[in-house]
Amino acid sequence: MTAADQPFKPVSGNVMPRFSGIATFMRLPHVSALEDVEIGLIGVPWDGGTTNRAGARHGPRQIRDMSTMMRNVHHVSRIKPFDLCRCADLGDVPVNPIDLEDSLGRIERFFARVHGAGTIPLSAGGDHLITLPIMRAIARDRPVGMVHFDAHTDTWDRYFGEQFYTHGTPFRRAIEEGLLDPKRTVQIGIRGALYGDSDNDWGASQGIRVIDIDEMYRLGVPAVIAEARRVVGDGPTYVSFDVDGLDPVYAPGTGTPEIGGFTTFEAQQMLRGLQGLNLVGGDVVEVAPPFDPSGNTAIVGATMMFEILCLLADAAATRRRR
């Protein structure tokens, strides 16, 4: 990194205390111009696809606040994301809280501009429907694979027999639109009671590799990582992390909690195991601060964003060297 890169460095806690200053993702500079930004951290404060407990629209703001706890060097991988790539907080997408279709369009256009500038997006939601317009922006020319951590497959068709777009349908829509390659998609942590026997059959019929929570614990974390790597291969891959994949003792502030999930440490281990994949973007979704006044869920979200940021920075640096 050169002197010109210094504006893309986070503010050190040794310079300004973590409780002070304007909150940005990981204390990075907030910029609106995309020139020279290699990885953009973006808030999508929208939960218009939520079917039960709303509140994820407040996720980006609290994640920013809690992300002041992130530092410069990953303590296990030793990845230094801010040395590898020029990173910045690109602000929030200007969503429309009362119009679902308009918001989907706004999100897509925002990320199309980011993608067009060659910037890799790392996003904080927002509910899980935000991933669909992000994929519309970054996967229009070539479908992506996906490593998806969640309690739910999010491949349902409709809600109340009518609603086409909800946080339970993004990956069905993405596959139908040719944005997501189901044969290069793995879903980890799936669990919870169903309305009917066939609720999760559609995704599997398309070729999605579903590792439900029971299989995850039978296999163990190293084998799950190996399987995820096998499924996505070396093609462009997106990482989507829904905090309800975690057991709610670790992330109670979410819209659709399901008991019996994986731990925060297991989540970190699985994310770290993705190092070396051809990663092109990622998100952390469904942090709903109104259901967790302690802020613990938001710090979980911020920490998972840092884990993904390290992966994206390492992937970008690898591609640059080729």
Side-chain angles (χ1 to χ4, degrees):
M1 298 292 249
T2 68
D5 297 316
Q6 293 306 309
F8 295 97
K9 294 282 191 176
V11 176
S12 170
N14 293 320
V15 173
M16 181 178 290
R18 298 183 182 281
F19 53 81
S20 61
I22 297 172
T24 62
F25 286 122
M26 303 181 200
R27 311 197 90 189
L28 287 164
H30 173 215
V31 304
S32 55
L34 293 170
E35 288 80 10
D36 298 324
V37 178
E38 294 178 280
I39 301 178
L41 283 68
I42 302 163
V44 191
W46 186 77
D47 55 12
T50 303
T51 56
N52 185 24
R53 304 199 309 179
R57 67 183 64 185
H58 302 289
R61 179 168 291 186
Q62 195 177 48
I63 290 173
R64 277 190 176 93
D65 190 23
M66 293 299 177
S67 73
T68 62
M69 293 302 297
M70 302 305 107
R71 297 181 181 89
N72 297 335
V73 184
H74 193 286
H75 67 290
V76 176
S77 68
R78 298 299 175 182
I79 292 173
K80 302 175 182 179
F82 310 117
D83 285 352
L84 290 175
C85 290
R86 294 182 295 274
C87 305
D89 186 329
L90 301 184
D92 284 349
V93 180
V95 295
N96 182 342
I98 59 174
D99 190 320
L100 185 152
E101 296 274 4
D102 183 48
S103 285
L104 293 180
R106 287 168 179 254
I107 297 167
E108 180 182 354
R109 289 190 295 273
F110 187 101
F111 281 88
R113 185 172 69 90
V114 170
H115 181 64
T119 301
I120 300 168
L122 173 57
S123 310
D127 72 43
H128 221 152
L129 184 54
I130 71 165
T131 310
L132 176 61
I134 294 172
M135 286 188 172
R136 285 174 174 170
I138 72 172
R140 183 63 68 186
D141 297 329
R142 180 183 181 185
V144 295
M146 179 175 65
V147 182
H148 172 204
F149 299 91
D150 206 321
H152 314 96
T153 63
D154 295 347
T155 54
W156 286 24
D157 188 18
R158 296 173 186 270
Y159 194 68
F160 280 109
E162 295 183 8
Q163 187 59 48
F164 198 63
Y165 296 115
T166 77
H167 64 170
T169 69
F171 302 124
R172 186 166 186 142
R173 302 287 90 89
I175 291 169
E176 291 168 346
E177 295 178 25
L179 309 170
L180 178 63
D181 182 350
K183 293 180 174 57
R184 292 188 53 244
T185 296
V186 58
Q187 300 181 316
I188 301 168
I190 308 304
R191 63 188 186 278
L194 306 172
Y195 288 114
D197 290 336
S198 62
D199 281 354
N200 287 339
D201 290 353
W202 187 87
S205 73
Q206 302 301 304
I208 294 176
R209 175 67 168 99
V210 178
I211 302 176
D212 66 26
I213 196 68
D214 295 273
E215 183 180 9
M216 187 202 116
Y217 278 110
R218 284 199 306 271
L219 292 174
V221 166
V224 169
I225 293 169
E227 179 68 350
R229 298 180 70 93
R230 180 195 69 80
V231 170
V232 301
D234 59 4
T237 300
Y238 190 88
V239 179
S240 190
F241 191 99
D242 185 331
V243 295
D244 72 27
L246 295 156
D247 191 279
V249 301
Y250 303 99
T254 193
T256 316
E258 301 281 0
I259 69 162
F262 45 77
T263 70
T264 47
F265 181 55
E266 288 163 339
Q268 290 176 290
Q269 288 179 300
M270 289 186 285
L271 285 170
R272 293 166 194 167
L274 305 181
Q275 183 179 353
L277 295 180
N278 182 15
L279 301 178
V280 296
D283 60 44
V284 174
V285 298
E286 300 285 356
V287 172
F291 299 104
D292 184 5
S294 74
N296 284 348
T297 305
I299 198 166
V300 167
T303 304
M304 299 308 161
M305 281 187 75
F306 183 73
E307 295 280 356
I308 297 172
L309 175 64
C310 290
L311 300 175
L312 294 177
D314 182 70
T318 299
R319 287 192 293 267
R320 195 190 306 126
R321 290 191 293 267
R322 287 176 180 167

